[in-house]
Amino acid sequence: MTDDAAPNSLITTDVARRLEAILLIVEEPQSLVSLAAAVGAPVPAVRQAIEALVDDYDGKSGGPVRGFELREVGGGWRLYVREELDELVSEFVGGQAPSRLSQAALETLAVIAYKQPVTRSQVASIRAVNVDSVVRTLLARGLITELFADAETGAINYGTTDALLVHLGINSLDELPHISPLLDGADEVGDSLDEGIRR
């Protein structure tokens, strides 16, 4: 029995290490099936490794309680900052935020403002580039927020906040200019948003 336990423990540890590497970079909650495919392990082994990681991060394995946790949201798993440390992280990230938004951030913000609720992958498809870091910046600046997670995919849907309305000096999104006349002047749209946000 001891001989069987040792290999199982080693397998769980190896799967857990690979899961951590994947979980550190994902932006959306991942199902057990997608995680199993990513790390090349059977779903039961991934489930066992996830349980071991949860216990480890929660300090149930004899170690300290970590500043982050592995949480199941919308049928998927993702790493999150512990709730009691949210304010600390928000203040730190807010202090790192630049005074001006980049062109990429302005374009992403415009897509979210006009298409919300919209997922990160939908924004990336429209812009034809990866928008992960830009979305993090906009979240840190308080210009967008997570609205809800898709029940089937777990993908987070984003929308703009009241802070954006305040920066732009408007009362509702209905006051945004109609997009069709501006399609030939995307730079002007970005400049307008940038000017409003800096005011």
Side-chain angles (χ1 to χ4, degrees):
M1 185 170 180
T2 305
D3 291 342
D4 290 339
N8 286 341
S9 176
L10 288 174
I11 290 170
T12 300
T13 301
D14 182 56
V15 172
R17 288 178 65 244
R18 286 184 279 160
L19 282 171
E20 281 183 312
I22 297 297
L23 289 166
L24 278 173
I25 62 165
V26 298
E27 297 291 340
E28 309 289 354
Q30 301 295 308
S31 69
L32 286 175
V33 172
S34 64
L35 288 171
V39 301
V43 171
V46 169
R47 183 182 292 109
Q48 186 177 356
I50 287 284
E51 291 171 358
L53 288 173
V54 169
D55 287 347
D56 183 27
Y57 300 156
D58 290 348
K60 295 178 181 176
S61 303
V65 175
R66 307 291 181 84
F68 54 89
E69 62 183 332
L70 183 52
R71 194 187 312 160
E72 187 176 17
V73 175
W77 292 89
R78 183 181 160 211
L79 291 172
Y80 291 87
V81 173
R82 289 200 182 272
E83 187 176 351
E84 62 268 25
L85 298 174
D86 277 347
E87 187 175 344
L88 171 71
V89 172
S90 294
E91 288 177 2
F92 174 77
V93 174
Q96 304 298 305
S99 58
R100 284 185 62 127
L101 291 176
S102 66
Q103 186 65 31
L106 290 170
E107 291 172 8
T108 301
L109 182 58
V111 171
I112 293 172
Y114 281 97
K115 300 288 288 183
Q116 63 186 302
V118 63
T119 65
R120 193 187 310 254
S121 61
Q122 289 170 331
V123 176
S125 175
I126 291 168
R127 292 202 54 233
V129 294
N130 186 298
V131 297
D132 292 350
S133 63
V134 175
V135 167
R136 283 194 294 270
T137 298
L138 295 174
L139 283 167
R141 294 288 290 270
L143 298 173
I144 64 171
T145 187
E146 296 181 358
L147 297 177
F148 60 89
D150 186 278
E152 292 183 8
T153 66
I156 303 296
N157 280 260
Y158 297 91
T160 55
T161 64
D162 289 343
L164 176 64
L165 300 180
V166 170
H167 284 302
L168 294 178
I170 59 177
N171 291 315
S172 77
L173 294 172
D174 294 336
E175 296 179 43
L176 286 173
H178 293 293
I179 194 68
S180 52
L182 301 170
L183 290 177
D184 293 331
D187 291 340
E188 286 82 354
V189 177
D191 291 343
S192 176
L193 277 172
D194 189 28
E195 183 62 31
I197 290 168
R198 287 191 290 127
R199 274 204 301 267

